[in-house]
Amino acid sequence: MTQAVIVIPAYNAAATVARAVESALRQTALCAVVVVDDCSKDDTVRVAEGCDDGSGRLTVLRQEINRGPAAARNRAIEASDAPWIALLDSDDEMEPDRVRQLLDSAGDDWDFLADDLWKVAEGEPAEARTRLLSPSDFKPITLDLASFVEGNLHSSRGNRSELGFIKPLMRRAFLDRHGLRYDDAMRLAEDYDLYARALASGARFQVINPCGYVATVRRTSLSGNHRTEDLRRIVEADRRLLARPGLTDAERRALKRHFCQNQREWSWRRLIDSVQARDPVRSLSCFVAHPHVGWFLIGKLAEQGWLRLIRRLSPSGSV
């Protein structure tokens, strides 16, 4: 019986998808592999199908319209009945024993089990990789909703913490029991939303040292493109989480902080859009939602004004 299904959403990934699929098929655990092409404009489907090793474990599906990674993952999940679900992005790869190590560590104790990831900058040699969460080994970390959400907050320097990027092995029975799937409408932070809802539903979630997921860090990744609509969806997801009954004080505090940070980012994007549209009424409305939003926008405007002044005064015209 297939032990796990490795789901690979792909969009315009002809240059990288073969590496991802081949690494999935090389797993020492018996894994099905489902690639869902999200209506690519290149040869992603042809390249993925060319990886078929004759074992019958590879399925390549194609979306008729581009629906985003959440919808692609959901379709891949439904295409298999394997008891465990593993995630792999189309520009990443896994070392051969990764899924086996996760399965052995999960046993009956965990519903979600994630390992610290290896990161390699695009174009750099494999030896230059670094770890995502910790530079050195650590004792297994058990996550609850509060600690997970806190691990996705912006730091005082504006950098977001990294927990939302982990790629856990997920127990299908837990997802099915609680009616959990990715939110098809989300194209940004869809992983954060699913993991947070799972933890709010009582998931047993542990993070361990690296088992062999190698993530390629790309400047053009989808997660770096924050559209106004994408940010609105994250705010709505946090609002739904905050409305859940039975949250602890710590969970509510963490979620409120996450909600406020994303609401400010969303309002900034809305302000930019309304200024570009020359809509003063909509611009002013961005300031009145909540006091913390208004003061944040004033600070951002002051920062941008200061940067423009420096550029004008700079001999080269740039900072």
Side-chain angles (χ1 to χ4, degrees):
M1 177 182 176
T2 302
Q3 296 170 289
V5 56
I6 301 173
V7 303
I8 306 176
Y11 177 67
N12 290 346
T16 62
V17 71
R19 183 183 62 192
V21 173
E22 289 167 0
S23 77
L25 290 171
R26 284 197 301 266
Q27 292 300 300
T28 55
L30 184 60
C31 296
V33 180
V34 180
V35 179
V36 176
D37 175 75
D38 199 16
C39 199
S40 294
K41 299 175 182 178
D42 64 4
D43 289 334
T44 296
V45 170
R46 181 185 60 79
V47 174
E49 290 175 340
C51 297
D52 194 341
D53 62 357
S55 66
R57 293 181 294 129
L58 175 63
T59 301
V60 180
L61 305 173
R62 180 176 174 82
Q63 303 280 63
E64 293 301 320
I65 60 173
N66 181 273
R67 298 182 59 199
R73 289 193 184 104
N74 282 340
R75 188 175 179 194
I77 290 169
E78 299 307 321
S80 168
D81 59 359
W84 289 96
I85 299 160
L87 309 171
L88 179 61
D89 287 346
S90 60
D91 53 356
D92 297 341
E93 62 182 314
M94 294 191 293
E95 294 175 353
D97 206 38
R98 180 191 181 239
V99 174
R100 168 66 64 193
Q101 292 183 63
L102 290 175
L103 288 168
D104 290 346
S105 297
D108 296 326
D109 298 323
W110 305 103
D111 302 306
F112 284 63
L113 185 68
D115 56 334
D116 195 359
L117 309 184
W118 292 106
K119 299 189 300 180
V120 178
E122 187 177 20
E124 293 293 321
E127 296 76 19
R129 65 187 188 179
T130 59
R131 288 169 57 158
L132 177 76
L133 301 178
S134 172
S136 58
D137 283 355
F138 53 85
K139 294 181 179 179
I141 300 169
T142 299
L143 294 177
D144 57 18
L145 178 59
S147 60
F148 174 72
V149 175
E150 288 167 357
N152 284 276
L153 293 171
H154 289 306
S155 69
S156 59
R157 296 187 177 183
N159 298 318
R160 185 177 293 282
S161 298
E162 306 283 11
L163 273 179
F165 293 102
I166 56 178
K167 296 290 190 290
L169 187 72
M170 304 185 292
R171 190 186 300 272
R172 181 185 295 272
F174 180 88
L175 297 178
D176 290 347
R177 185 163 64 249
H178 295 278
L180 292 170
R181 290 295 187 269
Y182 289 94
D183 182 343
D184 282 358
M186 297 185 72
R187 290 175 176 260
L188 181 69
E190 71 280 354
D191 301 299
Y192 160 83
D193 173 62
L194 176 64
Y195 307 158
R197 286 187 285 121
L199 286 162
S201 300
R204 301 165 298 170
F205 198 139
Q206 190 176 68
V207 181
I208 61 177
N209 286 303
C211 294
Y213 190 108
V214 183
T216 301
V217 180
R218 302 173 64 193
R219 291 182 295 274
T220 58
S221 67
L222 290 176
S223 60
N225 300 325
H226 295 186
R227 301 182 309 160
T228 306
E229 176 64 13
D230 297 334
L231 293 168
R232 181 180 72 83
R233 297 286 185 182
I234 302 174
V235 170
E236 289 180 346
D238 273 341
R239 187 177 283 119
R240 290 191 295 269
L241 283 164
L242 281 164
R244 294 178 71 110
L247 294 176
T248 67
D249 290 343
E251 290 168 346
R252 193 168 297 280
R253 283 194 301 271
L255 283 167
K256 282 184 176 178
R257 287 184 63 197
H258 194 268
F259 172 79
C260 289
Q261 286 187 354
N262 284 291
Q263 190 178 46
R264 290 194 291 263
E265 289 186 34
W266 175 46
S267 297
W268 177 244
R269 281 298 324 172
R270 288 173 59 215
L271 180 59
I272 293 172
D273 292 346
S274 60
V275 169
Q276 291 175 341
R278 298 184 179 181
D279 187 338
V281 174
R282 188 151 58 104
S283 296
L284 288 173
S285 72
C286 297
F287 289 84
V288 299
H290 293 280
H292 73 87
V293 171
W295 285 113
F296 172 79
L297 295 179
I298 291 170
K300 288 286 286 185
L301 288 171
E303 176 187 11
Q304 293 301 310
W306 177 248
L307 290 174
R308 288 185 180 182
L309 177 61
I310 292 176
R311 290 191 187 102
R312 288 179 181 177
L313 296 176
S314 172
S316 63
S318 62
V319 180

